[in-house]
Amino acid sequence: MPEEIIRPLTVGDLRYAYRVMPQPDAVTEPVVVFGGALQGMFGWPQMEDRLAPVADLVTADLPGMGTGSLCPADENGEVLHTAVARIVEDLGVPRVNLFGYSYGAVLAFRQAQRYPQSVARLVLGGMPCALTEDQYSGLRRAADILAAGRAEEFAALAADSMICLDEERAVRHRHLVHRYVRRSLLHAARHSPHMANALGRTLTNRLGLDHGLTGVPTLAFAGEHDTVVPPATQRAFAATIEGSRFATIAESDHWVIMERAEDVADLTLRFFTDQPLHPASYLTSPPSERHDRPGPAPAAGTVPAPRRPVSRPSP
């Protein structure tokens, strides 16, 4: 396999970069992966193992993430969408497959709304589609604790809010993942220049995920015991997307991306290569049937472009 390529880009005065692992024998469009607010381009080994053999795999440090420039706390997301559009343009391909998880799912969904003609398929995991007022209050408290310099308290509070701590619910690797998340948040609180602004953007820009989506084949999935947004709520959100399917992964919570990393990668591989999603032992039941009742159409066009040969960016 050719060596990876890292391409620097800018949007306005903000710098960022993306990483592509080229696959000369790709069988599907390039896969572009977005994760949580602080998850950068080198945090996806499980996706590399499963998806790099079948597609160009693209990860990024967008503005406000990893090595990217600081993104203002009051930025409404348009800078990020422009940055992603420039990645697709720089790849030199008409369409890509988008994978988004948690905060990255919000970015991927809104990107598909704005540029449906450039998205071949869309996978959304752990979509924070309906945070409650109590959750926003918790975020404000976390932001205040972080601003006061109490990093350990912040990390513990934030980790507890994202993990299912109910021992009566089976969650694989619960305690290992909990420790990892807490330590990662503690490190970010102490060393990342992006943490405070990321919290500020979440509080400033309430997640308005309305207007539905048409013309983009979509798979949404959730961990069986997700306590951030219950699977039933995520399923209802998926029903606003024409042609979508919804799957629940057993013995996992909001951090299913770590608790069942290989299974998430397998499910994504199946969808992006048009393979059957079932049978799969890790699903609680067969994925829901397609929803063919679209929500309100987005303002942009809804007809995807025809497939074309996948090209490569120049190093």
Side-chain angles (χ1 to χ4, degrees):
M1 180 181 296
E3 293 186 3
E4 67 182 40
I5 301 164
I6 295 180
R7 301 272 291 177
L9 296 173
T10 58
V11 54
D13 295 329
L14 303 179
R15 57 176 176 76
Y16 65 106
Y18 75 92
R19 170 180 176 244
V20 57
M21 301 178 64
Q23 173 49 257
D25 300 318
V27 299
T28 187
E29 290 85 353
V31 174
V32 183
V33 177
F34 300 118
L38 299 174
Q39 195 161 6
M41 67 169 73
F42 295 104
W44 299 99
Q46 75 279 13
M47 291 297 189
E48 294 177 15
D49 292 343
R50 294 305 306 272
L51 295 171
V54 301
D56 293 349
L57 184 65
V58 180
T59 58
D61 278 352
L62 295 173
M65 305 175 192
T67 59
S69 293
L70 280 174
C71 194
D74 59 355
E75 205 288 308
N76 64 5
E78 292 305 320
V79 164
L80 297 182
H81 294 299
T82 301
V84 174
R86 290 185 180 174
I87 290 175
V88 177
E89 179 182 6
D90 197 60
L91 285 168
V93 298
R95 298 195 301 172
V96 296
N97 295 308
L98 284 185
F99 173 95
Y101 195 79
S102 193
Y103 176 84
V106 176
L107 175 61
F109 174 71
R110 288 175 168 169
Q111 193 73 19
Q113 284 185 314
R114 287 161 173 76
Y115 304 94
Q117 71 282 353
S118 68
V119 181
R121 300 170 195 80
L122 178 66
V123 172
L124 305 172
M127 170 65 87
C129 51
L131 298 184
T132 66
E133 286 302 321
D134 284 345
Q135 286 173 307
Y136 278 112
S137 294
L139 287 171
R140 285 190 292 271
R141 180 186 172 204
D144 290 342
I145 291 172
L146 180 63
R150 289 148 38 203
E152 291 190 5
E153 184 180 351
F154 164 79
L157 176 67
D160 287 354
S161 72
M162 293 186 285
I163 299 286
C164 175
L165 301 176
D166 183 352
E167 294 287 349
E168 295 186 359
R169 300 184 185 184
V171 174
R172 294 195 182 187
H173 314 299
R174 183 202 322 267
H175 299 293
L176 178 63
V177 171
H178 188 211
R179 288 195 299 271
Y180 173 84
V181 170
R182 181 179 56 79
R183 290 172 182 172
S184 296
L185 288 167
L186 178 59
H187 182 271
R190 287 173 170 169
H191 303 290
S192 172
H194 301 299
M195 176 65 82
N197 283 3
L199 272 173
R201 284 193 298 277
T202 302
L203 289 169
T204 302
N205 303 310
R206 293 293 183 101
L207 300 176
L209 301 174
D210 51 6
H211 302 304
L213 177 64
T214 63
V216 179
T218 301
L219 168 67
F221 71 91
E224 179 183 19
H225 303 301
D226 192 328
T227 54
V228 176
V229 179
T233 304
Q234 296 185 51
R235 181 188 295 271
F237 168 78
T240 70
I241 303 174
E242 182 190 45
S244 72
R245 305 188 74 183
F246 183 82
T248 304
I249 297 180
E251 298 182 0
S252 61
D253 57 23
H254 190 70
W255 281 91
V256 59
I257 195 80
M258 291 186 63
E259 293 151 354
R260 306 205 64 163
E262 293 183 1
D263 300 322
V264 170
D266 179 72
L267 184 66
T268 303
L269 172 70
R270 292 184 187 209
F271 187 72
F272 283 161
T273 55
D274 299 325
Q275 298 180 46
L277 303 182
H278 198 263
S281 61
Y282 49 81
L283 298 181
T284 60
S285 61
S288 63
E289 296 297 321
R290 294 179 181 274
H291 296 281
D292 294 322
R293 302 187 307 277
T302 60
V303 180
R307 293 184 66 166
R308 300 176 191 172
V310 177
S311 61
R312 311 279 182 270
S314 301

